[in-house]
Amino acid sequence: MLSQIEGSRAVAETVGHCRPQVICAYPISPQTHIVEALSALVKSGRLTACEFVNVESEFAAMSVAIGASAAGARAYTATASQGLLYMAEALYNASGLGLPIVMTVANRAIGAPINIWNDHSDAMSQRDSGWIQLYAEDNQAAADLHVLAFRLAEELSTPVMVCMDGFVLTHAVEAVDVPSQAAVDRFLPAFQPRQVLDPDAPLTIGAMVGPEAFTEVRYLAHTNQLRALARLPELADQFAATFHRDLDALVSPYRCDDASTVVVALGSVLGTLKDTVDGMRTAGMPIGVLGLTAFRPFPAAAIKTAIGAAKRIVVLERAFAAGAGGIVSADLAPVLPADRELYTVVAGLGGRPVTRDSLRETLAAAFAGRLAPLTFLDLDERLLRAAEEVPS
Amino acid sequence: MTQHVRFYQTGSFAVGNRLLPAEARTVQSDPTRANSLTSGHRACRGCGEALGARYVLDAAMRATGGRLVTVNATGCLEVFSTPYPESSWRVPWLHSLFGNAPAVASGVAAALKARGRTDIRVLGQGGDGGTVDIGFGALSGMFERGDDVLFVCYDNQGYMNTGVQRSGATPPAARTSTTQAVGPAPGNVFGQGKSAPLIAMAHEIPYVATATIADLHDLESKVERAMGLHGARYLHVLVPCPLGWGSDAAQTVRIARLAVQSGLFPVFEAERGAVSAVSPIRHRVLVEEYLRPQARFRHLFEPERRADVIDGLQAIADRNIRRFGLLPGEQT
Ligand SMILES: Cc1ncc(C[n+]2csc(CCOP(=O)(O)OP(=O)(O)O)c2C)c(N)n1
Ligand code: SF4
Ligand SMILES: [Mg+2]
């Protein structure tokens, strides 16, 4: 049933319907509304058989989730930005231990300078942490992806991050069909941990592993994550059958079939991109948009298929690697046939709006083969000059 | 120093004392003991931490009827007990990171509660580094929330696993690899460090206790006491480290005893923030007797005796004795 609801609330209700058993929370904007709503669900008794733990840091949040998951509970937490970095060590640990924790990342920039607004620097910084990363295009996807995330995480025994743009999605009120309890129960079976701390069958979890087996452990983690590439579309089909709506679990191509230029992006900017591209097509420019839901594992084959014969690929990056360039672009480059042109456009850092006008201009330049390999959308030359003039 | 030897050690609490009535023996002399940490692990000879952990866990197993789950911080205990593909643990055991063991234990407790498995109890353990330094935020959070966890710190007064560096539990004047015996004030600085048990008490949790591996009966009974309670509980155990302290592997227990008898390590219990019992010093010794057998204090005696520094340490011991009333009947 569609209802006008804030993104955070939709996610919280959905997570509640996934029957988590331990929720840990440490506040950081723009994640706060999610954990506030969940705390109320638990405290009011609407969500039962669930412990809500108010921890003293994000490091503790992930650590509590690790302990809870290893003890056989479905564990959930949410964070953003500085909080995600603060739990970085525990992120690698959770994936290394193969614990199917699900976490929402309300994507936000990383300081300094401190900035609470949206970009993807936080999640991208943890792309190699061994977590599966799924990015939501809108709040319906944000809600639905959580249901999928628990299922996938538990099937593969690996943690999953659901990334949703901070404020742009978390604080936006739009029509969402919150997955109902009954439907979620049909889709998501009770958690059957692969390994559990149990006095009746004592296990040593987290032993020290040296050079004799470490490579193999990592290799297996890699192949395990790659299994998600095949599993995600299957789960999306099951999801559609249960919830009667589509869910793009890997990639979402939009008007790519006949496109000579394809723009690749993740998250809420896809909406603006599609609008822009619609306008440009009317003006005779066959441009397509390819949204990535999965960033880890990287859906190389699906991207290659979706891109088809398109000659130019523009990657719209909501984060970037200082001293190198585009992060998604770097993953994409080896996937592309040698005859393709790759452009990186860094846009919308620290919450700067990505406008249709600017996009149209940049994409038109790319379409005409006039775009530099790496550009920063709407770079304010006046501010750059001012920075140069500051006496050192 | 010569050690006075007693045949059969009647009246002492030595391991395997068959002259004691069965119920008064230590867990280890009971053939049906849990043996949570089995032999074959790779601790150094004479390791106080290995001894302490074995007693703590076996006592906890006995107290919980075997319904126990453990969480371990990174450190010597973790490393020497689980070199892949071997494990010395016969209890469910989880190691996550160095600085998060109390939080992981909280998570285990929360999971068990949510799953209605409150028959299973949780014990977290770590070294002094993992407890009083890097894990302290997590420990305080666990205390403050009153999570149903007994956390045990095996205090060997330094980061032993990484090569004997100074921790917040390293005593003044002690030589570690980051407080070397060089310069005008060799060894660790005076006036630094913290008492984790006292800070634990400030959280007003149900139970805080200190113990050493010199009195295993006391250690066991404190573990049993702690497991009989619910909520956050803390046990701080002094465990000499022959490698880091530069002491004879055969003298580990004796050195722990001297730490207590000198007053440098007060042994006490506290309930809800107030000291409820202390173990009185039976044969008081000067700190010098405790310091001498340890190479980490050698610079206090060679090339010349540093009376000023030894006096400084004696003053700390004297203060402990006054503060905790460790010498009842003696006016101080
Ligand atoms: C975040 C982090 N920092 C540092 C280390 C390195 N490290 C591993 S064990 C250890 C020392 C452990 O000292 P303690 O907790 O006192 O235990 P002990 O080995 O003395 O028993 C250190 C510094 C680590 N594993 N993780
Ligand atoms: S270094 Fe010390 S604590 Fe570590 S195993 Fe050796 S004796 Fe035990
Ligand atoms: Mg130590």
Side-chain angles (χ1 to χ4, degrees):
Chain A
M1 191 185 66
L2 278 177
S3 58
Q4 286 292 326
I5 185 169
E6 191 200 42
S8 295
R9 185 145 209 114
V11 165
E13 303 243 331
T14 305
V15 168
H17 290 164
C18 293
R19 302 189 188 276
Q21 291 160 300
V22 174
I23 298 172
C24 352
Y26 193 83
I28 181 166
S29 297
Q31 151 267 31
T32 45
H33 291 186
I34 300 173
V35 290
E36 286 164 8
L38 280 165
S39 95
L41 282 181
V42 177
K43 202 156 176 63
S44 65
R46 277 183 60 203
L47 180 54
T48 52
C50 179
E51 290 294 306
F52 186 92
V53 189
N54 278 303
V55 288
E56 72 284 354
S57 75
E58 286 87 356
F59 181 55
M62 187 45 60
S63 302
V64 168
I66 286 169
S69 187
R74 183 172 283 163
Y76 169 85
T77 188
T79 191
S81 182
Q82 317 297 135
L84 189 69
L85 294 202
Y86 203 65
M87 60 169 72
E89 191 194 10
L91 291 179
Y92 278 75
N93 190 254
S95 64
L97 293 174
L99 298 173
I101 298 161
V102 170
M103 171 166 65
T104 312
V105 176
N107 295 110
R108 164 183 154 178
I110 293 171
I114 190 164
N115 176 308
I116 65 165
W117 308 107
N118 166 238
D119 68 31
H120 291 167
S121 310
D122 49 6
M124 291 277 160
S125 80
Q126 298 307 312
R127 58 168 197 188
D128 301 335
S129 65
W131 283 59
I132 288 174
Q133 288 194 2
L134 306 175
Y135 286 75
E137 176 178 347
D138 54 29
N139 282 339
Q140 186 65 61
D144 294 348
L145 284 174
H146 281 85
V147 184
L148 195 78
F150 278 108
R151 175 88 185 263
L152 182 73
E154 290 169 15
E155 277 191 7
L156 300 183
S157 205
T158 209
V160 179
M161 233 179 250
V162 179
C163 303
M164 65 189 292
D165 286 325
F167 294 112
V168 181
L169 293 182
T170 55
H171 288 52
V173 175
E174 55 185 39
V176 175
D177 185 354
V178 174
S180 72
Q181 184 67 70
V184 173
D185 284 345
R186 280 199 300 279
F187 184 79
L188 182 64
F191 177 33
Q192 297 288 341
R194 189 167 290 182
Q195 48 178 15
V196 67
L197 295 165
D198 179 3
D200 293 323
L203 267 184
T204 290
I205 304 178
M208 200 175 116
V209 174
E212 68 279 10
F214 196 81
T215 307
E216 288 69 22
V217 171
R218 283 288 173 271
Y219 176 82
L220 290 172
H222 172 64
T223 49
N224 190 46
Q225 233 201 60
L226 291 183
R227 286 172 57 207
L229 292 176
R231 196 61 189 134
L232 274 167
E234 293 167 5
L235 289 178
D237 287 347
Q238 282 187 35
F239 184 94
T242 311
F243 294 89
H244 310 295
R245 61 176 168 270
D246 288 335
L247 179 58
D248 294 313
L250 227 44
V251 296
S252 57
Y254 177 77
R255 304 186 79 167
C256 285
D257 287 346
D258 59 338
S260 64
T261 300
V262 167
V263 195
V264 178
L266 301 81
S268 63
V269 76
L270 286 166
T272 317
L273 268 175
K274 288 176 191 172
D275 284 352
T276 311
V277 160
D278 284 345
M280 295 180 80
R281 278 194 169 254
T282 318
M285 287 178 268
I287 304 184
V289 178
L290 178 61
L292 307 188
T293 305
F295 176 56
R296 284 293 178 273
F298 194 68
I303 292 173
K304 213 168 160 178
T305 308
I307 280 172
K311 198 161 159 262
R312 299 189 179 88
I313 313 302
V314 181
V315 184
L316 194 80
E317 306 258 12
R318 306 288 321 280
F320 86 110
I327 298 169
V328 183
S329 308
D331 283 347
L332 198 61
V335 174
L336 296 181
D339 60 344
R340 310 303 166 89
E341 296 164 23
L342 180 65
Y343 302 93
T344 300
V345 178
V346 179
L349 296 186
R352 175 165 297 182
V354 181
T355 64
R356 261 183 277 180
D357 284 349
S358 300
L359 280 178
R360 195 180 306 113
E361 206 178 301
T362 304
L363 294 184
F367 186 75
R370 287 189 282 104
L371 197 64
L374 174 65
T375 53
F376 289 76
L377 196 74
D378 296 335
L379 198 62
D380 189 335
E381 300 289 345
R382 201 174 38 91
L383 285 180
L384 296 181
R385 279 195 303 278
E388 270 168 22
E389 280 157 20
V390 173
S392 53
Chain B
M1 267 306 294
T2 52
Q3 174 90 315
H4 178 65
V5 179
R6 278 177 290 179
F7 285 115
Y8 299 116
Q9 305 194 347
T10 315
S12 84
F13 296 123
V15 184
N17 190 331
R18 293 184 298 277
L19 295 184
L20 290 173
E23 64 280 4
R25 292 179 195 171
T26 64
V27 178
Q28 300 304 319
S29 58
D30 175 355
T32 65
R33 71 182 189 273
N35 205 12
S36 316
L37 178 66
T38 58
S39 59
H41 58 70
R42 300 176 185 188
C44 307
R45 200 156 57 102
C47 174
E49 187 162 280
L51 180 63
R54 198 152 69 95
Y55 271 77
V56 163
L57 288 169
D58 285 351
M61 284 292 274
R62 184 164 69 173
T64 59
R67 313 306 289 160
L68 187 72
V69 170
T70 65
V71 172
N72 212 129
T74 311
C76 269
L77 179 60
E78 167 261 330
V79 170
F80 73 59
S81 63
T82 64
Y84 171 87
E86 295 159 9
S87 171
S88 289
W89 299 102
R90 287 195 179 166
V91 286
W93 183 92
L94 170 63
H95 162 247
S96 172
L97 294 168
F98 186 25
N100 70 354
V104 174
S106 291
V108 172
L112 293 172
K113 193 168 171 203
R115 294 178 52 220
R117 296 300 307 273
T118 42
D119 57 313
I120 303 174
R121 307 298 304 280
V122 186
L123 187 150
Q125 48 186 356
D128 50 295
T131 307
V132 316
D133 286 344
I134 198 168
F136 207 59
L139 187 70
S140 178
M142 186 273 271
F143 286 163
E144 162 275 309
R145 289 186 301 268
D147 296 335
D148 193 17
V149 173
L150 167 63
F151 199 87
V152 183
C153 170
Y154 302 109
D155 180 8
N156 52 23
Q157 305 189 330
Y159 294 106
M160 299 319 180
N161 184 54
T162 34
V164 197
Q165 293 84 15
R166 176 208 182 269
S167 82
T170 302
R175 178 265 295 140
T176 68
S177 50
T178 51
T179 57
Q180 297 192 12
V182 295
N188 194 28
V189 187
F190 272 82
Q192 297 185 346
K194 55 179 145 179
S195 164
L198 290 180
I199 305 173
M201 282 167 61
H203 292 76
E204 307 207 344
I205 55 178
Y207 187 69
V208 173
T210 66
T212 76
I213 45 104
D215 189 344
L216 296 170
H217 261 301
D218 179 64
L219 177 59
E220 289 171 341
S221 68
K222 282 170 176 167
V223 171
E224 281 169 30
R225 178 86 205 286
M227 294 318 290
L229 299 168
H230 283 269
R233 290 142 290 141
Y234 181 65
L235 180 59
H236 191 103
V237 191
L238 185 73
V239 291
C241 161
L243 183 105
W245 295 15
S247 53
D248 183 349
Q251 297 294 315
T252 299
V253 170
R254 182 173 154 260
I255 285 172
R257 186 174 301 125
L258 291 172
V260 176
Q261 290 176 334
S262 65
L264 278 176
F265 189 84
V267 176
F268 64 93
E269 288 176 288
E271 289 166 41
R272 299 260 170 227
V275 174
S276 53
V278 298
S279 299
I281 295 173
R282 284 189 282 181
H283 311 284
R284 188 183 182 184
V285 299
L286 295 176
V287 293
E288 185 162 346
E289 200 173 322
Y290 165 69
L291 303 174
R292 272 201 184 271
Q294 304 180 46
R296 63 174 174 158
F297 295 113
R298 183 175 293 146
H299 55 281
L300 304 187
F301 304 98
E302 294 168 18
E304 74 238 17
R305 192 171 185 279
R306 288 291 302 264
D308 54 334
V309 182
I310 297 169
D311 287 352
L313 290 164
Q314 186 64 53
I316 293 172
D318 293 347
R319 178 165 183 262
N320 283 340
I321 289 170
R322 282 195 307 277
R323 184 175 189 181
F324 291 93
L326 299 175
L327 281 173
E330 185 167 300
Q331 289 300 324
T332 45

